[in-house]
Structure formats: structure tokens, C-alpha cells
Amino acid sequence: MGTPSRAAATSCCAAGTGAQQALDRLLDVDEHVGPVTEEATRRFQRAHGLSADGVVGRHSRAAMVRAPRL
């Protein structure tokens, strides 16, 4: 699996409240893509009918921006 870009990692944590909802807890924004971020991304992707690859690509990012906020 490829490593997401720094911008994608930031997008996942900052704009990705949906990823936080998928884990049902807050995530710290540290610009590090680790196993917690990857799993949150995969859960979010599955919940929104996207390919669950753990990478915040164009479609995942768009879904995260559209996701309802807490």
C-alpha cells in the first residue's frame, strides 16, 4: 500500500470528522499516518460505500468534506 501524502493525512484528521466518528472518539492531529488513522479511514470508507484502502484519495476526501459534523 502506498503512503498517503502529508496533505492527505492532514485532510483525514482535520477535515475528516467522519473518520473520528468511525472510531467513535477524537483523533489528535499530528500529521502522522499511523495504524489508528488508517483504520479510521478504512471504517469511514466502508461506511460510505468507498473502496476501503485506508488512503484519503479524491473520493474519500470529498465524502469527508460532505460528512455531517458532530
Side-chain angles (χ1 to χ4, degrees), residues 1-2 4 12 33 37-39 41-42 45 51-57:
M1 170 174 44
C12 176
V33 178
T37 305
E38 227 175 279
E39 181 57 27
T41 301
R42 287 178 196 277
Q45 290 167 326
S51 174
D53 60 5
V55 177
V56 181

Side-chain angles (χ1 to χ4, degrees), residues 2-69:
T3 303
S5 70
R6 184 177 187 172
T10 302
S11 171
C12 176
C13 292
T17 301
Q20 293 181 19
Q21 290 173 339
L23 279 179
D24 195 28
R25 66 185 179 95
L26 295 177
L27 299 174
D28 293 326
V29 178
D30 63 3
E31 297 184 4
H32 173 75
V33 178
V36 173
T37 305
E38 227 175 279
E39 181 57 27
T41 301
R42 287 178 196 277
R43 286 184 183 183
F44 178 87
Q45 290 167 326
R46 283 192 292 271
H48 289 84
L50 301 167
S51 174
D53 60 5
V55 177
V56 181
R58 181 175 46 141
H59 298 293
S60 295
R61 186 177 189 292
M64 288 180 176
V65 170
R66 288 190 311 267
R69 305 285 180 204

